[in-house]
Amino acid sequence: MRYLTIALSKGRLTDLTMDLLEGIGVDCTEYKNASRKLIFTDEKNKIKFFLCKPADVPTYVEYGAADIGIVGKDTLLEEGRHLYEVLNLGFAACRMVLAGPAELAGKLDQLNNKRVATKYPRIAREYFEHKRRESIEVIKLNGSVELAPLVGLSEVIVDLVESGRTLKENGLVVLDTIAEISARMVVNRVSMKMESERINRMIEGLKKQLEVVGT
Amino acid sequence: MSKWKIYTPEGVQDILFDECYLKRNLEEKIRNLFRSCGYYEVETPTIEFYDTFSVDDGLVPQETMFKFFDQQGRILVLRPDITVPVARITATKFKEMPYPLRYSYIGNVFRYNDYGGGKQNEFTQAGIETLGISTPESDAEVIAIAIRALQAAGLENFQIDIGQVEFFKGLMEETELAEEDIGQIRSMIDRKDFVGLQEFLRSNEIREDLKKLILDLPGLFGSTDVIDRVKTLTSNRRSLEALENVRQVLEILEDYGLSQYVSVDLGMLKGLNYDTGILFRGFTYGVGFPILTGGRYDRLVESFGRECPATGFSLGINLIMMALQRQKVAIEKPSVDSLICYAGVGRKTAFELCGVLRKQGLVVEMDISSAGVDAVKEYARKKGIGGVLYVSGQDTIEIHDLHTQEVKKTSVRELLEGGSI
């Protein structure tokens, strides 16, 4: 039997994902032993998994270097890779929103040249091009995006929002919701075909697991 | 000024000795297969007008094409595929020829950011097109040849998934959704984006049973019993006809003896608008991208001014090479059987000997370094050549076997009559 390789996002998704995988019988002891290994193996189930930057997970999966990936929907939208998105794992839920100063609410269309600050240039562009049908100037930032409208770098921002507290404290409001975000399971297009039995079994297992957690 | 002179642009590659040898051999095997099936080869221009590929909205997305201008300011492209030029040829030439017209081609195509070549911008496609016939037999023949081509290339573990785009179109007719929404559903189903699909259907008014079937679409793949299962779930005529069409093609493939390679995926919908019936993709281990794609495109030739049904496939030679390497299939490599060097008086004899051996089918290198027999042996050893023939006089030859280190003296006549080196 071939090894199935899973790419996992390093960060807030890691522990939740590990619990889920353990729940369906994947042996994660090698990972929990906190060795310096980069790739962990479950010999019994013939599964390998590794951790990488979330933004890289779709890349590994698209090229087939990993058969399966666990990653946030925000990363998937931003990377726009060719892969199969098969399961909503539900956790790490938040929203991708368009936000700006409160006085812009309902008056967005009156703003001619829009400068949009964001960590997600692709999502911002697609949202404006397809949903609002207009061209924008995207300003790519790497963090603290809320700052941009406050100091006049941009009129609005596109960013992830969990509770909305940061926005509120800075006098910003949500102008529109672009997408609901949560962790997703993605599968390489070829792996889905060549290993469909094992992968489908895994999907079913995870689904059951999620139902248990959900109730 | 010459900052880039030692580099190659992104997405293109040098193909060196071993790889090139493998590549030409693959092309040859595939070419012979196509010929043996009666598909005549064509070569289309590397450069075409942009208009050729933009006839239909979204035929080839413009951002994926390499563009430049001719002297009259018209937009040119490096061909992004060869199917469209074949359609152009069919619509404008071969008007007297009886159907079916059978084409084959092997050539390089150019696309930005496309997975067809495994993320390379220039890659080699080999394919066939059958024009003028719309029977299930023609679809099955194309699929059968696709399978034979993969076998000829040396692949054993692969799978061909067959879908039918009319099935989806039938369902969409019933939903009465807008063109744009259908496009969105199509891409979500093709991506097997169950999550997005669910959200989309929730916010649209669609009949319950239809909704359920659309939601199931991305999961409707597997062995042929998928068809029987789905048949009971819809009463849409167009969709049922599509299912019947897939069943017929599968039956024909069974008689070809190729059933073990094919399965069904009704949720497979390529992005291209010109697909009109059966479509299929090929997969294998070790490559994360489909190694071949094909299908029926009955409306494409029409856009060039002649109504003509068509079906065909193309496979990515580079992807197949990648698969062979990753699957560790034994690969032939180029090699030289012997190397001839000579002392001054032996030159004429050496050339004669060389000519005879080459005619016998051996690969023979002539020494051109004149560096002496020891230096030549060193070169031959590094290059993995089995033996050196040193023509020391008009009729005297030393055979240096580099594996056993043996040296044997003989004459030209003896050598050629003995027939073994």
Side-chain angles (χ1 to χ4, degrees):
Chain A
M1 198 162 50
R2 287 176 70 250
Y3 282 99
L4 274 185
T5 307
I6 311 177
L8 304 173
S9 303
K10 208 184 281 182
R12 57 191 194 124
L13 295 185
T14 314
D15 289 340
L16 290 163
T17 311
M18 287 299 173
D19 292 346
L20 261 187
L21 286 179
E22 277 202 313
I24 59 164
V26 176
D27 178 9
C28 301
T29 41
E30 227 182 65
Y31 165 73
K32 296 213 161 127
N33 289 344
S35 71
R36 282 180 171 258
K37 273 190 174 171
L38 291 174
I39 298 176
F40 312 100
T41 316
D42 169 0
E43 284 299 344
K44 202 179 96 234
N45 295 305
K46 286 276 177 200
I47 288 174
K48 286 185 178 178
F49 51 98
F50 60 85
L51 292 169
C52 60
K53 271 203 145 187
D56 295 335
V57 169
T59 314
Y60 282 103
V61 177
E62 184 187 36
Y63 279 80
D67 301 289
I68 297 167
I70 307 286
V71 64
K73 178 71 177 171
D74 51 333
T75 314
L76 288 176
L77 288 171
E78 183 59 27
E79 293 293 314
R81 300 280 179 174
H82 286 271
L83 25 82
Y84 289 153
E85 181 179 332
V86 295
L87 192 59
N88 185 352
L89 300 175
F91 56 81
C94 49
R95 284 184 303 157
M96 183 67 69
V97 302
L98 174 72
E103 59 266 28
L104 268 182
K107 292 187 194 135
L108 205 55
D109 288 336
Q110 292 166 24
L111 206 60
N112 184 16
N113 295 318
K114 291 185 190 70
R115 293 175 301 168
V116 183
T118 183
K119 279 191 278 186
Y120 306 92
R122 186 187 173 114
I123 295 175
R125 209 164 257 132
E126 292 220 325
Y127 165 75
F128 275 96
E129 278 171 10
H130 291 131
K131 205 153 171 199
R132 304 190 74 95
R133 307 169 70 86
E134 55 183 317
S135 312
I136 52 162
E137 180 185 341
V138 170
I139 299 171
K140 161 92 177 72
L141 292 178
N142 294 299
S144 303
V145 180
E146 300 84 2
L147 196 56
L150 304 183
V151 296
L153 179 64
S154 75
E155 279 74 38
V156 288
I157 61 172
V158 166
D159 204 13
L160 277 183
V161 171
E162 224 165 324
S163 65
R165 237 184 62 207
T166 321
L167 285 184
K168 209 168 170 189
E169 282 174 9
N170 288 293
L172 301 174
V173 296
V174 172
L175 299 170
D176 195 5
T177 299
I178 298 174
E180 301 289 337
I181 304 294
S182 57
R184 306 291 161 96
M185 171 177 174
V186 293
V187 180
N188 174 273
R189 298 165 78 96
V190 176
S191 307
M192 191 75 193
K193 306 291 183 178
M194 301 301 287
E195 299 285 351
S196 66
E197 226 187 286
R198 287 171 78 194
I199 292 177
N200 275 327
R201 219 182 313 135
M202 193 177 248
I203 295 173
E204 288 312 314
L206 286 172
K207 263 189 198 161
K208 279 207 193 94
Q209 184 75 9
L210 289 171
E211 275 163 24
V212 174
V213 177
T215 50
Chain B
M1 264 170 294
S2 49
K3 191 172 160 192
W4 303 108
K5 72 177 176 189
I6 62 165
Y7 306 102
T8 55
E10 255 154 78
V12 298
Q13 284 176 330
D14 296 317
I15 298 177
L16 303 182
F17 301 144
D18 287 1
E19 277 188 312
C20 200
Y21 188 80
L22 167 66
K23 185 158 182 271
R24 290 291 174 269
N25 281 353
L26 282 178
E27 288 168 4
E28 208 44 43
K29 286 174 192 163
I30 290 170
R31 177 174 288 121
N32 286 338
L33 170 75
F34 291 168
R35 278 185 185 163
S36 76
C37 301
Y39 284 76
Y40 293 164
E41 188 167 357
V42 290
E43 197 178 303
T44 67
T46 311
I47 303 170
E48 297 247 6
F49 283 120
Y50 170 74
D51 292 1
T52 305
F53 295 93
S54 57
V55 279
D56 199 356
D57 198 27
L59 184 58
V60 183
Q62 75 148 308
E63 62 271 24
T64 64
M65 285 191 271
F66 283 82
K67 294 182 273 308
F68 44 107
F69 302 102
D70 70 1
Q71 286 172 321
Q72 281 108 46
R74 292 174 295 193
I75 310 173
L76 305 173
V77 293
L78 293 179
R79 61 174 177 219
D81 80 4
I82 303 182
T83 303
V84 176
V86 165
R88 171 181 60 69
I89 290 172
T90 306
T92 55
K93 297 163 186 180
F94 293 139
K95 286 183 183 131
E96 313 295 318
M97 296 263 275
Y99 287 153
L101 285 168
R102 288 186 162 101
Y103 299 88
S104 73
Y105 58 82
I106 298 178
N108 285 14
V109 299
F110 306 83
R111 283 181 221 163
Y112 284 116
N113 309 319
D114 190 87
Y115 64 89
K119 292 280 171 191
Q120 288 297 309
N121 289 346
E122 177 183 17
F123 51 95
T124 309
Q125 279 194 334
I128 58 169
E129 315 287 345
T130 303
L131 284 100
I133 302 281
S134 58
T135 57
E137 283 78 6
S138 61
D139 288 305
E141 175 174 285
V142 166
I143 295 172
I145 293 174
I147 293 172
R148 295 279 182 236
L150 294 182
Q151 287 174 329
L155 290 175
E156 259 313 311
N157 290 307
F158 58 84
Q159 182 181 325
I160 308 286
D161 271 17
I162 303 177
Q164 227 290 9
V165 69
E166 293 297 314
F167 177 76
F168 169 77
K169 287 183 181 167
L171 295 186
M172 286 303 110
E173 251 174 22
E174 264 186 82
T175 60
E176 294 174 346
L177 283 169
E179 199 63 38
E180 215 170 274
D181 291 334
I182 293 177
Q184 217 176 331
I185 293 190
R186 172 201 280 260
S187 98
M188 282 190 289
I189 291 175
D190 194 43
R191 289 202 310 266
K192 303 221 181 296
D193 182 354
F194 294 92
V195 189
L197 202 55
Q198 215 153 19
E199 268 168 40
F200 182 90
L201 292 176
R202 202 181 301 137
S203 57
N204 277 278
E205 265 185 46
I206 298 169
R207 242 179 35 227
E208 245 352 278
D209 58 321
L210 204 54
K211 207 179 246 187
K212 199 178 160 306
L213 187 52
I214 295 171
L215 253 181
D216 284 344
L217 252 179
L220 290 179
F221 64 89
S223 58
T224 51
D225 58 276
V226 168
I227 298 177
D228 298 323
R229 214 171 70 219
V230 178
K231 232 175 207 169
T232 57
L233 299 178
T234 178
S235 55
N236 182 288
R237 238 193 60 207
R238 198 169 171 189
S239 298
L240 285 174
E241 276 170 15
L243 290 175
E244 179 57 22
N245 179 234
V246 178
R247 202 186 53 75
Q248 286 171 335
V249 170
L250 290 172
E251 260 179 31
I252 301 168
L253 285 169
E254 198 170 328
D255 285 346
Y256 270 105
L258 298 174
S259 290
Q260 76 264 35
Y261 295 109
V262 295
S263 61
V264 176
D265 183 356
L266 292 171
M268 176 169 53
L269 305 161
K270 287 185 290 181
L272 297 175
N273 287 327
Y274 67 77
D275 296 322
T276 54
I278 292 284
L279 42 87
F280 57 97
R281 283 185 183 137
F283 307 94
T284 188
Y285 292 112
V287 187
F289 310 93
I291 47 175
L292 68 85
T293 65
R296 177 159 287 286
Y297 52 98
D298 288 345
R299 314 302 295 271
L300 180 63
V301 186
E302 194 183 307
S303 65
F304 291 101
R306 179 183 180 187
E307 264 184 54
C308 180
T311 180
F313 86 93
S314 71
L315 58 80
I317 298 273
N318 311 65
L319 291 177
I320 290 184
M321 288 166 62
M322 197 191 288
L324 289 172
Q325 275 152 5
R326 301 247 170 99
Q327 292 178 18
K328 307 205 164 37
V329 176
I331 290 167
E332 312 128 40
K333 287 189 174 159
S335 63
V336 174
D337 298 310
S338 25
L339 192 151
I340 298 177
C341 62
Y342 49 84
V345 284
R347 186 161 71 191
K348 193 154 182 277
T349 310
F351 289 154
E352 279 166 8
L353 176 66
C354 179
V356 173
L357 294 178
R358 282 181 182 160
K359 222 175 246 169
Q360 287 175 358
L362 292 175
V363 180
V364 184
E365 254 189 61
M366 276 302 297
D367 172 51
I368 46 171
S369 69
S370 304
V373 68
D374 287 336
V376 168
K377 274 169 77 175
E378 183 56 29
Y379 161 80
R381 196 172 299 121
K382 278 187 183 154
K383 206 172 159 181
I385 299 173
V388 171
L389 302 177
Y390 177 52
V391 186
S392 52
Q394 274 177 14
D395 196 36
T396 51
I397 298 177
E398 290 175 16
I399 303 175
H400 295 254
D401 186 323
L402 295 182
H403 296 306
T404 61
Q405 304 303 332
E406 274 177 78
V407 182
K408 213 167 77 189
K409 286 196 177 158
T410 179
S411 69
V412 175
R413 223 186 35 182
E414 220 175 305
L415 176 70
L416 293 179
E417 279 171 4
S420 65
I421 294 166

